[in-house]
Amino acid sequence: MKENLKAGLLASLFVLIGFPIIFTVGSIVSGDWRYLIFSIGPILTAGLTSLLFTLHHMKKKSEIR
């Protein structure tokens, strides 16, 4: 199975950078900051987990070569 590590890295960075921007805009538009507050935990959990997993596999792949 071919691993597409660049796509995984881009997806995790989008989760860590893009989602907070989306929720910030949604909070500004709605005036309810709970959208942003309650989204920070899941965003960090998903984004950091996938980022660490992807970086670990990138390091492992570079050691093999």
Side-chain angles (χ1 to χ4, degrees):
M1 186 164 106
K2 182 181 174 188
E3 295 179 357
N4 195 352
L5 296 175
K6 287 185 181 181
L9 183 62
L10 288 175
S12 62
L13 289 176
F14 177 73
V15 168
L16 285 171
I17 297 169
F19 279 15
I21 292 172
I22 292 169
F23 280 103
T24 302
V25 170
S27 295
I28 291 171
V29 169
S30 70
D32 190 3
W33 289 95
R34 288 180 290 179
Y35 292 124
L36 180 64
I37 292 169
F38 291 133
S39 69
I40 293 297
I43 287 171
L44 288 176
T45 302
L48 289 176
T49 302
S50 63
L51 181 65
L52 291 174
F53 185 75
T54 304
L55 292 175
H56 174 72
H57 279 284
M58 289 176 113
K59 182 180 176 187
K60 196 170 161 183
K61 187 175 180 180
S62 69
E63 288 176 357
I64 293 173
R65 289 185 179 182

Short mmCIF file of all heavy atoms in Angstrom, two decimals:
data_model
loop_
_atom_site.label_atom_id
_atom_site.label_comp_id
_atom_site.label_asym_id
_atom_site.label_seq_id
_atom_site.Cartn_x
_atom_site.Cartn_y
_atom_site.Cartn_z
N MET A 1 0.84 -1.18 0.00
CA MET A 1 0.00 0.00 0.00
C MET A 1 0.89 1.25 0.00
O MET A 1 1.81 1.36 0.78
CB MET A 1 -0.89 -0.02 1.25
CG MET A 1 -1.88 1.08 1.26
SD MET A 1 -3.17 0.77 2.45
CE MET A 1 -2.71 1.92 3.70
N LYS A 2 0.59 2.15 -0.90
CA LYS A 2 1.38 3.37 -1.02
C LYS A 2 0.93 4.39 0.01
O LYS A 2 -0.26 4.65 0.17
CB LYS A 2 1.22 3.94 -2.42
CG LYS A 2 2.04 5.17 -2.66
CD LYS A 2 1.82 5.71 -4.05
CE LYS A 2 2.55 7.02 -4.19
NZ LYS A 2 2.23 7.69 -5.44
N GLU A 3 1.89 4.94 0.73
CA GLU A 3 1.59 5.97 1.72
C GLU A 3 1.75 7.34 1.08
O GLU A 3 2.78 7.64 0.49
CB GLU A 3 2.52 5.85 2.92
CG GLU A 3 2.35 4.59 3.70
CD GLU A 3 3.31 4.51 4.88
OE1 GLU A 3 4.14 5.43 5.04
OE2 GLU A 3 3.23 3.53 5.60
N ASN A 4 0.74 8.16 1.22
CA ASN A 4 0.81 9.52 0.71
C ASN A 4 1.00 10.44 1.91
O ASN A 4 0.03 10.97 2.46
CB ASN A 4 -0.44 9.87 -0.08
CG ASN A 4 -0.26 11.11 -0.91
OD1 ASN A 4 0.75 11.80 -0.78
ND2 ASN A 4 -1.22 11.39 -1.75
N LEU A 5 2.24 10.61 2.33
CA LEU A 5 2.53 11.36 3.54
C LEU A 5 2.33 12.86 3.38
O LEU A 5 1.98 13.54 4.33
CB LEU A 5 3.96 11.05 3.99
CG LEU A 5 4.21 9.59 4.38
CD1 LEU A 5 5.67 9.38 4.70
CD2 LEU A 5 3.35 9.20 5.55
N LYS A 6 2.53 13.36 2.17
CA LYS A 6 2.33 14.80 1.95
C LYS A 6 0.86 15.17 2.12
O LYS A 6 0.54 16.22 2.68
CB LYS A 6 2.83 15.21 0.57
CG LYS A 6 4.33 15.22 0.47
CD LYS A 6 4.79 15.74 -0.87
CE LYS A 6 6.31 15.70 -0.94
NZ LYS A 6 6.79 16.21 -2.22
N ALA A 7 -0.03 14.30 1.66
CA ALA A 7 -1.47 14.57 1.82
C ALA A 7 -1.85 14.53 3.29
O ALA A 7 -2.65 15.35 3.75
CB ALA A 7 -2.29 13.56 1.02
N GLY A 8 -1.28 13.60 4.03
CA GLY A 8 -1.54 13.53 5.46
C GLY A 8 -1.03 14.75 6.19
O GLY A 8 -1.68 15.26 7.11
N LEU A 9 0.14 15.23 5.80
CA LEU A 9 0.70 16.42 6.41
C LEU A 9 -0.15 17.65 6.10
O LEU A 9 -0.44 18.45 6.99
CB LEU A 9 2.14 16.64 5.92
CG LEU A 9 2.90 17.80 6.52
CD1 LEU A 9 3.06 17.62 8.02
CD2 LEU A 9 4.25 17.94 5.85
N LEU A 10 -0.59 17.77 4.86
CA LEU A 10 -1.44 18.91 4.49
C LEU A 10 -2.79 18.85 5.21
O LEU A 10 -3.30 19.89 5.65
CB LEU A 10 -1.65 18.94 2.97
CG LEU A 10 -0.45 19.37 2.16
CD1 LEU A 10 -0.74 19.24 0.67
CD2 LEU A 10 -0.03 20.78 2.49
N ALA A 11 -3.35 17.66 5.34
CA ALA A 11 -4.64 17.52 6.02
C ALA A 11 -4.52 17.89 7.49
O ALA A 11 -5.38 18.59 8.04
CB ALA A 11 -5.15 16.09 5.87
N SER A 12 -3.45 17.44 8.14
CA SER A 12 -3.30 17.77 9.56
C SER A 12 -3.02 19.25 9.77
O SER A 12 -3.51 19.85 10.73
CB SER A 12 -2.20 16.91 10.20
OG SER A 12 -0.96 17.15 9.60
N LEU A 13 -2.27 19.86 8.88
CA LEU A 13 -2.03 21.30 8.98
C LEU A 13 -3.31 22.09 8.71
O LEU A 13 -3.55 23.12 9.34
CB LEU A 13 -0.92 21.73 8.04
CG LEU A 13 0.49 21.28 8.44
CD1 LEU A 13 1.50 21.70 7.38
CD2 LEU A 13 0.87 21.82 9.80
N PHE A 14 -4.13 21.59 7.78
CA PHE A 14 -5.41 22.27 7.53
C PHE A 14 -6.31 22.20 8.75
O PHE A 14 -6.99 23.18 9.09
CB PHE A 14 -6.13 21.67 6.32
CG PHE A 14 -7.47 22.29 6.08
CD1 PHE A 14 -7.56 23.57 5.55
CD2 PHE A 14 -8.63 21.62 6.38
CE1 PHE A 14 -8.79 24.17 5.34
CE2 PHE A 14 -9.87 22.20 6.18
CZ PHE A 14 -9.95 23.48 5.65
N VAL A 15 -6.30 21.05 9.42
CA VAL A 15 -7.11 20.91 10.63
C VAL A 15 -6.60 21.87 11.71
O VAL A 15 -7.39 22.51 12.40
CB VAL A 15 -7.11 19.45 11.14
CG1 VAL A 15 -7.70 19.35 12.53
CG2 VAL A 15 -7.88 18.56 10.19
N LEU A 16 -5.30 21.97 11.87
CA LEU A 16 -4.73 22.82 12.91
C LEU A 16 -4.82 24.32 12.61
O LEU A 16 -4.88 25.14 13.52
CB LEU A 16 -3.26 22.45 13.16
CG LEU A 16 -3.04 21.16 13.94
CD1 LEU A 16 -1.56 20.80 13.93
CD2 LEU A 16 -3.54 21.30 15.35
N ILE A 17 -4.82 24.68 11.33
CA ILE A 17 -4.83 26.10 10.96
C ILE A 17 -6.18 26.53 10.38
O ILE A 17 -6.72 27.57 10.76
CB ILE A 17 -3.70 26.41 9.95
CG1 ILE A 17 -2.34 26.14 10.59
CG2 ILE A 17 -3.79 27.85 9.45
CD1 ILE A 17 -1.18 26.15 9.62
N GLY A 18 -6.74 25.72 9.49
CA GLY A 18 -7.96 26.10 8.79
C GLY A 18 -9.21 26.06 9.64
O GLY A 18 -10.05 26.97 9.60
N PHE A 19 -9.36 24.99 10.42
CA PHE A 19 -10.57 24.86 11.24
C PHE A 19 -10.71 25.97 12.27
O PHE A 19 -11.81 26.50 12.45
CB PHE A 19 -10.62 23.49 11.90
CG PHE A 19 -11.13 22.39 11.00
CD1 PHE A 19 -11.24 22.55 9.63
CD2 PHE A 19 -11.51 21.18 11.54
CE1 PHE A 19 -11.69 21.53 8.81
CE2 PHE A 19 -11.97 20.16 10.74
CZ PHE A 19 -12.07 20.34 9.37
N PRO A 20 -9.63 26.34 12.99
CA PRO A 20 -9.80 27.47 13.91
C PRO A 20 -10.22 28.77 13.21
O PRO A 20 -11.01 29.55 13.76
CB PRO A 20 -8.43 27.63 14.57
CG PRO A 20 -7.83 26.28 14.50
CD PRO A 20 -8.32 25.72 13.19
N ILE A 21 -9.73 28.97 12.01
CA ILE A 21 -10.13 30.16 11.25
C ILE A 21 -11.61 30.09 10.91
O ILE A 21 -12.35 31.07 11.06
CB ILE A 21 -9.26 30.32 9.98
CG1 ILE A 21 -7.83 30.66 10.37
CG2 ILE A 21 -9.85 31.38 9.05
CD1 ILE A 21 -6.85 30.65 9.22
N ILE A 22 -12.07 28.91 10.46
CA ILE A 22 -13.47 28.74 10.12
C ILE A 22 -14.36 28.96 11.34
O ILE A 22 -15.38 29.67 11.26
CB ILE A 22 -13.71 27.33 9.52
CG1 ILE A 22 -13.03 27.23 8.15
CG2 ILE A 22 -15.20 27.02 9.41
CD1 ILE A 22 -12.97 25.83 7.59
N PHE A 23 -13.98 28.38 12.47
CA PHE A 23 -14.78 28.55 13.68
C PHE A 23 -14.71 29.97 14.23
O PHE A 23 -15.67 30.45 14.83
CB PHE A 23 -14.38 27.53 14.74
CG PHE A 23 -14.98 26.18 14.51
CD1 PHE A 23 -14.23 25.15 13.98
CD2 PHE A 23 -16.31 25.94 14.81
CE1 PHE A 23 -14.78 23.90 13.76
CE2 PHE A 23 -16.88 24.69 14.60
CZ PHE A 23 -16.11 23.66 14.07
N THR A 24 -13.59 30.65 14.04
CA THR A 24 -13.49 32.04 14.46
C THR A 24 -14.42 32.92 13.63
O THR A 24 -15.14 33.77 14.18
CB THR A 24 -12.04 32.56 14.34
OG1 THR A 24 -11.20 31.74 15.15
CG2 THR A 24 -11.93 34.00 14.78
N VAL A 25 -14.44 32.70 12.33
CA VAL A 25 -15.34 33.46 11.47
C VAL A 25 -16.80 33.17 11.84
O VAL A 25 -17.63 34.08 11.93
CB VAL A 25 -15.07 33.16 9.98
CG1 VAL A 25 -16.15 33.74 9.08
CG2 VAL A 25 -13.70 33.68 9.57
N GLY A 26 -17.10 31.90 12.07
CA GLY A 26 -18.46 31.54 12.48
C GLY A 26 -18.85 32.17 13.80
O GLY A 26 -20.00 32.59 13.98
N SER A 27 -17.91 32.25 14.71
CA SER A 27 -18.18 32.88 16.00
C SER A 27 -18.39 34.38 15.87
O SER A 27 -19.24 34.96 16.54
CB SER A 27 -17.04 32.60 16.98
OG SER A 27 -16.96 31.23 17.26
N ILE A 28 -17.60 35.01 15.01
CA ILE A 28 -17.76 36.45 14.80
C ILE A 28 -19.11 36.75 14.15
O ILE A 28 -19.81 37.68 14.56
CB ILE A 28 -16.59 37.00 13.94
CG1 ILE A 28 -15.30 36.97 14.74
CG2 ILE A 28 -16.89 38.41 13.45
CD1 ILE A 28 -14.06 37.28 13.93
N VAL A 29 -19.47 35.95 13.14
CA VAL A 29 -20.73 36.18 12.44
C VAL A 29 -21.92 35.95 13.36
O VAL A 29 -22.87 36.73 13.37
CB VAL A 29 -20.81 35.26 11.19
CG1 VAL A 29 -22.20 35.28 10.58
CG2 VAL A 29 -19.78 35.69 10.16
N SER A 30 -21.87 34.88 14.14
CA SER A 30 -23.01 34.55 14.99
C SER A 30 -23.01 35.33 16.31
O SER A 30 -24.05 35.47 16.93
CB SER A 30 -23.04 33.06 15.30
OG SER A 30 -21.97 32.72 16.17
N GLY A 31 -21.84 35.77 16.73
CA GLY A 31 -21.74 36.46 18.01
C GLY A 31 -21.68 35.52 19.20
O GLY A 31 -21.68 35.95 20.34
N ASP A 32 -21.67 34.21 18.94
CA ASP A 32 -21.64 33.21 20.00
C ASP A 32 -20.26 32.55 20.00
O ASP A 32 -19.93 31.74 19.13
CB ASP A 32 -22.72 32.16 19.75
CG ASP A 32 -22.90 31.22 20.92
OD1 ASP A 32 -22.22 31.41 21.95
OD2 ASP A 32 -23.72 30.29 20.80
N TRP A 33 -19.43 32.90 20.98
CA TRP A 33 -18.04 32.44 21.01
C TRP A 33 -17.91 31.01 21.51
O TRP A 33 -16.83 30.44 21.50
CB TRP A 33 -17.21 33.39 21.86
CG TRP A 33 -17.02 34.68 21.14
CD1 TRP A 33 -17.76 35.80 21.27
CD2 TRP A 33 -16.07 34.95 20.10
NE1 TRP A 33 -17.33 36.77 20.40
CE2 TRP A 33 -16.29 36.28 19.67
CE3 TRP A 33 -15.07 34.20 19.50
CZ2 TRP A 33 -15.54 36.85 18.66
CZ3 TRP A 33 -14.31 34.79 18.50
CH2 TRP A 33 -14.55 36.10 18.09
N ARG A 34 -19.02 30.41 21.91
CA ARG A 34 -18.96 29.01 22.34
C ARG A 34 -18.59 28.08 21.19
O ARG A 34 -18.01 27.02 21.41
CB ARG A 34 -20.28 28.58 22.95
CG ARG A 34 -20.51 29.19 24.34
CD ARG A 34 -21.81 28.75 24.91
NE ARG A 34 -22.88 29.40 24.13
CZ ARG A 34 -24.16 29.23 24.34
NH1 ARG A 34 -24.56 28.44 25.31
NH2 ARG A 34 -25.06 29.84 23.62
N TYR A 35 -18.90 28.47 19.95
CA TYR A 35 -18.49 27.66 18.79
C TYR A 35 -16.98 27.49 18.77
O TYR A 35 -16.47 26.39 18.58
CB TYR A 35 -18.94 28.30 17.47
CG TYR A 35 -20.42 28.31 17.26
CD1 TYR A 35 -21.10 29.49 17.01
CD2 TYR A 35 -21.15 27.13 17.30
CE1 TYR A 35 -22.46 29.51 16.82
CE2 TYR A 35 -22.52 27.14 17.10
CZ TYR A 35 -23.16 28.32 16.86
OH TYR A 35 -24.51 28.34 16.67
N LEU A 36 -16.26 28.57 18.97
CA LEU A 36 -14.80 28.51 18.96
C LEU A 36 -14.26 27.82 20.20
O LEU A 36 -13.38 26.97 20.10
CB LEU A 36 -14.22 29.93 18.86
CG LEU A 36 -12.69 30.02 18.85
CD1 LEU A 36 -12.13 29.35 17.60
CD2 LEU A 36 -12.25 31.46 18.92
N ILE A 37 -14.81 28.13 21.35
CA ILE A 37 -14.31 27.56 22.61
C ILE A 37 -14.46 26.05 22.62
O ILE A 37 -13.54 25.32 22.98
CB ILE A 37 -15.04 28.21 23.81
CG1 ILE A 37 -14.64 29.67 23.92
CG2 ILE A 37 -14.72 27.47 25.10
CD1 ILE A 37 -15.48 30.47 24.89
N PHE A 38 -15.64 25.54 22.21
CA PHE A 38 -15.88 24.11 22.25
C PHE A 38 -15.22 23.36 21.10
O PHE A 38 -15.17 22.13 21.11
CB PHE A 38 -17.38 23.81 22.27
CG PHE A 38 -18.03 24.21 23.56
CD1 PHE A 38 -19.22 24.93 23.55
CD2 PHE A 38 -17.48 23.90 24.78
CE1 PHE A 38 -19.83 25.31 24.73
CE2 PHE A 38 -18.07 24.28 25.97
CZ PHE A 38 -19.26 24.98 25.94
N SER A 39 -14.72 24.05 20.09
CA SER A 39 -14.06 23.37 18.98
C SER A 39 -12.55 23.26 19.17
O SER A 39 -11.92 22.44 18.52
CB SER A 39 -14.34 24.12 17.67
OG SER A 39 -13.66 25.37 17.66
N ILE A 40 -11.96 24.04 20.06
CA ILE A 40 -10.50 24.04 20.23
C ILE A 40 -9.98 22.67 20.68
O ILE A 40 -8.99 22.17 20.14
CB ILE A 40 -10.07 25.14 21.22
CG1 ILE A 40 -10.35 26.52 20.62
CG2 ILE A 40 -8.60 25.02 21.59
CD1 ILE A 40 -9.60 26.84 19.36
N GLY A 41 -10.62 22.05 21.65
CA GLY A 41 -10.17 20.74 22.15
C GLY A 41 -10.15 19.66 21.08
O GLY A 41 -9.12 19.01 20.86
N PRO A 42 -11.27 19.44 20.39
CA PRO A 42 -11.27 18.43 19.32
C PRO A 42 -10.32 18.76 18.17
O PRO A 42 -9.70 17.86 17.60
CB PRO A 42 -12.72 18.41 18.83
CG PRO A 42 -13.51 18.91 19.97
CD PRO A 42 -12.63 19.91 20.67
N ILE A 43 -10.19 20.03 17.85
CA ILE A 43 -9.27 20.42 16.78
C ILE A 43 -7.84 20.08 17.16
O ILE A 43 -7.09 19.50 16.36
CB ILE A 43 -9.40 21.93 16.46
CG1 ILE A 43 -10.69 22.21 15.72
CG2 ILE A 43 -8.21 22.43 15.65
CD1 ILE A 43 -11.02 23.67 15.55
N LEU A 44 -7.44 20.42 18.37
CA LEU A 44 -6.08 20.10 18.82
C LEU A 44 -5.85 18.61 18.92
O LEU A 44 -4.78 18.10 18.55
CB LEU A 44 -5.79 20.79 20.15
CG LEU A 44 -5.60 22.30 20.10
CD1 LEU A 44 -5.43 22.84 21.51
CD2 LEU A 44 -4.42 22.66 19.23
N THR A 45 -6.85 17.88 19.42
CA THR A 45 -6.71 16.43 19.54
C THR A 45 -6.53 15.78 18.17
O THR A 45 -5.60 14.99 17.96
CB THR A 45 -7.95 15.84 20.24
OG1 THR A 45 -8.09 16.45 21.52
CG2 THR A 45 -7.81 14.34 20.40
N ALA A 46 -7.39 16.11 17.24
CA ALA A 46 -7.31 15.50 15.91
C ALA A 46 -6.08 15.98 15.14
O ALA A 46 -5.38 15.18 14.52
CB ALA A 46 -8.57 15.83 15.12
N GLY A 47 -5.82 17.27 15.18
CA GLY A 47 -4.71 17.83 14.41
C GLY A 47 -3.36 17.39 14.91
O GLY A 47 -2.49 17.00 14.12
N LEU A 48 -3.13 17.44 16.21
CA LEU A 48 -1.83 17.06 16.74
C LEU A 48 -1.58 15.57 16.64
O LEU A 48 -0.46 15.14 16.37
CB LEU A 48 -1.69 17.52 18.20
CG LEU A 48 -1.55 19.03 18.39
CD1 LEU A 48 -1.51 19.38 19.88
CD2 LEU A 48 -0.31 19.56 17.70
N THR A 49 -2.63 14.76 16.83
CA THR A 49 -2.47 13.32 16.68
C THR A 49 -2.07 12.96 15.26
O THR A 49 -1.14 12.18 15.04
CB THR A 49 -3.78 12.59 17.06
OG1 THR A 49 -4.13 12.94 18.39
CG2 THR A 49 -3.63 11.10 16.94
N SER A 50 -2.77 13.51 14.28
CA SER A 50 -2.44 13.19 12.89
C SER A 50 -1.10 13.78 12.49
O SER A 50 -0.35 13.16 11.72
CB SER A 50 -3.54 13.68 11.95
OG SER A 50 -3.66 15.08 12.01
N LEU A 51 -0.75 14.95 13.01
CA LEU A 51 0.54 15.55 12.70
C LEU A 51 1.69 14.71 13.26
O LEU A 51 2.66 14.43 12.55
CB LEU A 51 0.61 16.97 13.25
CG LEU A 51 1.91 17.74 12.98
CD1 LEU A 51 2.07 17.98 11.48
CD2 LEU A 51 1.91 19.05 13.73
N LEU A 52 1.58 14.29 14.50
CA LEU A 52 2.62 13.45 15.09
C LEU A 52 2.73 12.11 14.39
O LEU A 52 3.84 11.62 14.16
CB LEU A 52 2.36 13.26 16.59
CG LEU A 52 2.53 14.50 17.45
CD1 LEU A 52 2.10 14.22 18.88
CD2 LEU A 52 3.96 15.00 17.42
N PHE A 53 1.61 11.52 14.04
CA PHE A 53 1.60 10.24 13.33
C PHE A 53 2.28 10.38 11.96
O PHE A 53 3.11 9.55 11.59
CB PHE A 53 0.16 9.76 13.17
CG PHE A 53 0.03 8.40 12.56
CD1 PHE A 53 0.31 7.27 13.29
CD2 PHE A 53 -0.41 8.26 11.26
CE1 PHE A 53 0.19 6.01 12.73
CE2 PHE A 53 -0.54 7.02 10.68
CZ PHE A 53 -0.24 5.89 11.43
N THR A 54 1.94 11.44 11.23
CA THR A 54 2.52 11.66 9.90
C THR A 54 4.02 11.95 10.00
O THR A 54 4.81 11.40 9.22
CB THR A 54 1.81 12.84 9.21
OG1 THR A 54 0.41 12.57 9.15
CG2 THR A 54 2.34 13.05 7.81
N LEU A 55 4.42 12.80 10.94
CA LEU A 55 5.85 13.11 11.09
C LEU A 55 6.65 11.87 11.51
O LEU A 55 7.77 11.68 11.06
CB LEU A 55 6.05 14.24 12.09
CG LEU A 55 5.55 15.62 11.65
CD1 LEU A 55 5.71 16.62 12.77
CD2 LEU A 55 6.26 16.07 10.39
N HIS A 56 6.05 11.03 12.34
CA HIS A 56 6.71 9.79 12.75
C HIS A 56 6.94 8.88 11.53
O HIS A 56 8.03 8.33 11.37
CB HIS A 56 5.87 9.06 13.80
CG HIS A 56 6.39 7.72 14.17
ND1 HIS A 56 7.53 7.57 14.93
CD2 HIS A 56 5.96 6.48 13.87
CE1 HIS A 56 7.76 6.28 15.09
NE2 HIS A 56 6.81 5.60 14.45
N HIS A 57 5.93 8.76 10.67
CA HIS A 57 6.08 7.93 9.48
C HIS A 57 7.05 8.54 8.47
O HIS A 57 7.75 7.81 7.77
CB HIS A 57 4.73 7.65 8.84
CG HIS A 57 3.99 6.54 9.52
ND1 HIS A 57 4.32 5.23 9.34
CD2 HIS A 57 2.96 6.55 10.38
CE1 HIS A 57 3.53 4.47 10.06
NE2 HIS A 57 2.69 5.26 10.71
N MET A 58 7.09 9.87 8.39
CA MET A 58 8.05 10.52 7.49
C MET A 58 9.49 10.26 7.96
O MET A 58 10.37 9.98 7.16
CB MET A 58 7.79 12.02 7.40
CG MET A 58 6.55 12.39 6.67
SD MET A 58 6.25 14.15 6.73
CE MET A 58 6.49 14.56 5.02
N LYS A 59 9.69 10.34 9.27
CA LYS A 59 11.02 10.09 9.83
C LYS A 59 11.40 8.63 9.62
O LYS A 59 12.54 8.32 9.25
CB LYS A 59 11.02 10.43 11.32
CG LYS A 59 12.36 10.24 11.98
CD LYS A 59 12.30 10.60 13.44
CE LYS A 59 13.64 10.31 14.09
NZ LYS A 59 13.59 10.50 15.54
N LYS A 60 10.47 7.74 9.84
CA LYS A 60 10.72 6.30 9.67
C LYS A 60 11.04 5.99 8.21
O LYS A 60 11.92 5.19 7.93
CB LYS A 60 9.46 5.54 10.10
CG LYS A 60 9.64 4.10 10.35
CD LYS A 60 8.35 3.58 11.00
CE LYS A 60 8.21 2.11 10.88
NZ LYS A 60 6.95 1.66 11.46
N LYS A 61 10.34 6.64 7.28
CA LYS A 61 10.57 6.42 5.85
C LYS A 61 11.94 6.95 5.44
O LYS A 61 12.64 6.35 4.63
CB LYS A 61 9.49 7.09 5.03
CG LYS A 61 9.55 6.78 3.57
CD LYS A 61 8.37 7.39 2.84
CE LYS A 61 8.44 7.08 1.36
NZ LYS A 61 7.33 7.66 0.63
N SER A 62 12.37 8.09 6.01
CA SER A 62 13.67 8.65 5.65
C SER A 62 14.81 7.83 6.21
O SER A 62 15.91 7.79 5.64
CB SER A 62 13.78 10.10 6.11
OG SER A 62 13.84 10.17 7.51
N GLU A 63 14.60 7.12 7.33
CA GLU A 63 15.64 6.28 7.90
C GLU A 63 15.84 5.02 7.07
O GLU A 63 16.93 4.47 7.03
CB GLU A 63 15.28 5.88 9.33
CG GLU A 63 15.40 7.02 10.31
CD GLU A 63 14.93 6.64 11.71
OE1 GLU A 63 14.45 5.49 11.90
OE2 GLU A 63 15.04 7.48 12.60
N ILE A 64 14.80 4.56 6.41
CA ILE A 64 14.87 3.34 5.59
C ILE A 64 15.72 3.59 4.36
O ILE A 64 16.49 2.76 3.94
CB ILE A 64 13.46 2.84 5.22
CG1 ILE A 64 12.74 2.38 6.47
CG2 ILE A 64 13.53 1.74 4.20
CD1 ILE A 64 11.28 2.03 6.24
N ARG A 65 15.61 4.74 3.80
CA ARG A 65 16.34 5.05 2.55
C ARG A 65 17.78 5.21 2.77
O ARG A 65 18.51 5.30 3.50
CB ARG A 65 15.79 6.31 1.91
CG ARG A 65 14.43 6.07 1.34
CD ARG A 65 13.98 7.29 0.61
NE ARG A 65 12.67 7.01 0.05
CZ ARG A 65 12.00 7.84 -0.66
NH1 ARG A 65 12.49 9.01 -0.95
NH2 ARG A 65 10.83 7.53 -1.15
#
